[in-house]
Amino acid sequence: MTVTRPGAAGRGAAAPGSLEPDPFAATLAALNRAHALAAAYLGGIAERPVSRRAEAITMAAALDEPLPEAGCDPGDAVAEWLERAEPGIVASGGPRFFGFVNGGATPAALAGDWLASAIDQNLVAWASSPAGAQTELTVLRWLKELFDLPSGWAGTVTSGATVANLVGLAAARQWAGARLGFDPARDGLGGRPALPVVAGEAMHASVAKALATLGLGRDAARWVPAPGGAMDVDALAATLAETDGPAIVVAGAGEVNAGAFDRLDAVADVCAAHPGGAWLHVDAAFGLFARLAPRLAPLARGVERADSVAADGHKWLNVPYDGGFAFVRDGEALRAAFAAGGAYVAPDADAGWNPSGHGPEMSRRFRALAAWCALRAYGRAGYRALVERCVDHAQGFAAWLEAEPGLDLLAPAPLIVVCFRYAPPGLGPAETDALNRAAVTALQADGRVFVTGTVWEGKVAVRAAFDNWATGPGDIAVLQEAVADIGRQLVPMATG
Ligand SMILES: *Cc1c(COP(=O)(O)O)cnc(C)c1O
């Protein structure tokens, strides 16, 4: 390959579409374009429809085409993408997106994330970015302080709670194997005794995914009933009593449909009493944030007794996608699960903390910077106020639902997820399910707000989550109006 460089005399702006080294002028021009486009988007986000229910055919018409032969100006490429993709951009970072459990991006986090791209550090090893590695360590320390977790716990910044669950359960697998005399990371699981897993039935799908990835088996786990979203602790004790040797127990703090919490203290007591030993992993994707407010902290009491904890950054911490974190009490088990050899990455004995020894990735984005900037900018007080405000929104909305005829709150809403349904009198169960399915579609198409559907205890339901820093009381009023309007449109048709 020949790489041509413009000579000193000819060194002006590179031709559009060329990848010849021209490090600053082209970069600055492209960044300025992206900045202007982002400013226009964010400046209008509160006004634009939240949902873009583009069909696959629309998006394919906009974007599915052969690789271009000739290039173009980098800023034009960015602008062209935004224009073409517009029909499919969901304002999920905006204040009226109540779907899933999303969260937005605070000013500090978004700016930090931009900077992370600009300085492009590789968080694979201490040597590849001492600044990055130390920042990640500091973020983990700050998060432990924020959530009042033991300071000695090891941890890692992940891409989300899914990978954080994988990290915690990989450490659990390592611990259980060691108790049985083998090293799962080194030896594999073939021909070894099974490693029993007991989990609540209400666990998030990502737990099953992690068990599948780790060779522990989605269906090999014993799933304990979880009425109302919280694990039946007596059933857990009975299941564990049938299990010999070390067991892995998975519990949850903040169930995704309605926000219920497992009774973690009681679960931890059961684990502590298991003769073969039990590793307690807690999926606390958003529920961990209950610990920030004194009035909510009892919900997550006992999480400090866990062996590993998974949580999300891109939900309630309001950092941009993607970000999450995992904490593990036994750092040796974590490092044994993820140790990597190879002469060219082998950590220098004198160097500091080695990020890639604590999680599944090697080269990785400097995700911790967005979190550092947010924690620095808002501090404990800012996050505590955010948590309290979000819970006030959820509880205000739940109270409105309870007072509104024809709407049913389906479960208590202890935190930020509110699960409800349209239930006009005189409608049978199947028709009520159909009405609620149609209502979710209609609410999304309406565009004022975004909510998602679910099935709660056999009933088709609607759910709204309140974890975006930008949401204000006016947005809650719009949500209530939209829910009421869609009811006025659909209920007469369903009952008439
Ligand atoms: C969102 C969520 C997850 C998965 O997190 P990702 O951010 O999608 O990786 C796991 N558990 C719970 C309870 C969740 O709410």
Side-chain angles (χ1 to χ4, degrees):
M1 191 177 85
T2 346
V3 178
T4 49
R5 273 191 94 100
R11 186 158 184 93
S18 106
L19 254 180
E20 289 176 28
D22 181 8
F24 197 57
T27 300
L28 187 62
L31 283 181
N32 284 337
R33 274 303 271 294
H35 177 265
L37 293 165
Y41 175 84
L42 293 174
I45 200 168
E47 278 72 50
R48 69 180 268 139
V50 187
S51 49
R52 283 281 192 248
R53 296 179 42 84
E55 304 286 342
I57 194 171
T58 308
M59 295 319 298
L63 289 165
D64 184 19
E65 63 180 24
L67 172 69
E69 182 59 37
C72 70
D73 173 75
D76 288 349
V78 174
E80 179 183 324
W81 179 83
L82 191 62
E83 195 184 322
R84 289 178 172 212
E86 172 60 30
I89 297 178
V90 178
S92 47
R96 285 176 285 106
F97 188 92
F98 303 102
F100 313 105
V101 183
N102 253 47
T106 63
L110 179 54
D113 194 62
W114 277 21
L115 189 65
S117 290
I119 63 179
D120 200 20
Q121 302 291 283
N122 183 353
L123 274 269
V124 62
W126 181 268
S128 65
S129 180
Q134 179 59 55
T135 303
E136 179 160 341
L137 261 184
T138 301
V139 162
L140 293 166
R141 172 200 170 139
W142 283 357
L143 291 169
K144 282 181 278 186
E145 292 178 11
L146 185 67
F147 299 120
D148 196 16
L149 295 173
S151 61
W153 285 11
T156 182
V157 171
T158 67
S159 60
T162 299
V163 172
N165 279 327
L166 180 83
V167 166
L169 291 169
R173 184 184 71 168
Q174 206 59 27
W175 164 85
R179 304 266 303 204
L180 294 169
F182 72 104
D183 176 338
R186 189 192 60 203
D187 307 332
L189 300 178
R192 304 291 178 171
L195 304 178
V197 177
V198 185
E201 233 170 36
M203 293 310 302
H204 190 270
S206 60
V207 169
K209 209 167 151 68
L211 295 175
T213 308
L214 290 166
L216 295 169
R218 234 181 353 242
D219 290 354
R222 322 260 191 106
W223 297 95
V224 172
M231 176 154 58
D232 176 338
V233 179
D234 292 337
L236 169 68
T239 306
L240 217 46
E242 295 164 3
T243 308
D244 286 333
I248 299 167
V249 173
V250 191
E255 189 274 336
V256 77
N257 288 296
F261 283 73
D262 284 341
R263 291 191 291 127
L264 296 175
D265 252 333
V267 170
D269 288 342
V270 169
C271 290
H274 183 57
W279 177 289
L280 174 58
H281 174 77
V282 179
D283 176 359
F286 59 90
L288 196 53
F289 288 74
R291 292 171 74 86
L292 293 193
R295 74 178 214 250
L296 305 164
L299 290 169
R301 186 181 296 139
V303 79
E304 71 284 354
R305 296 172 62 192
D307 296 288
S308 52
V309 176
D312 257 314
H314 51 227
K315 288 177 181 167
W316 218 347
L317 197 64
N318 279 260
V319 298
Y321 287 96
D322 50 15
F325 37 96
F327 294 113
V328 177
R329 178 183 299 276
D330 176 353
E332 285 310 313
L334 178 63
R335 285 183 285 274
F338 292 113
Y344 108 109
V345 283
D348 174 347
D350 298 322
W353 187 67
N354 171 27
S356 64
H358 295 80
E361 295 161 291
M362 294 194 71
S363 296
R364 53 208 270 276
R365 179 176 172 73
F366 187 7
R367 296 188 188 102
L369 182 52
W372 191 94
C373 293
L375 290 164
R376 176 66 191 91
Y378 310 115
R380 189 193 299 276
Y383 273 102
R384 176 179 161 176
L386 170 65
V387 163
E388 288 179 332
R389 185 168 82 235
C390 290
V391 173
D392 288 346
H393 287 153
Q395 292 182 348
F397 180 63
W400 175 80
L401 287 167
E402 285 197 294
E404 200 67 6
L407 285 166
D408 271 3
L409 180 66
L410 287 182
L415 207 61
I416 47 160
V417 188
V418 180
C419 187
F420 66 100
R421 70 180 340 209
Y422 295 88
L427 212 59
E431 289 80 10
T432 307
D433 280 354
L435 168 65
N436 282 279
R437 237 176 256 119
V440 170
T441 307
L443 278 160
Q444 290 180 2
D446 173 86
R448 277 175 285 176
V449 298
F450 194 105
V451 295
T452 38
T454 190
V455 176
W456 181 252
E457 298 186 329
K459 297 169 176 165
V460 174
V462 190
R463 53 184 288 298
F466 301 81
D467 60 330
N468 190 312
W469 70 280
T471 301
D475 301 304
I476 307 301
V478 175
L479 172 65
Q480 290 171 187
E481 274 163 37
V483 168
D485 286 349
I486 295 301
R488 276 190 286 273
Q489 280 169 33
L490 297 187
V491 169
M493 292 193 284
T495 52

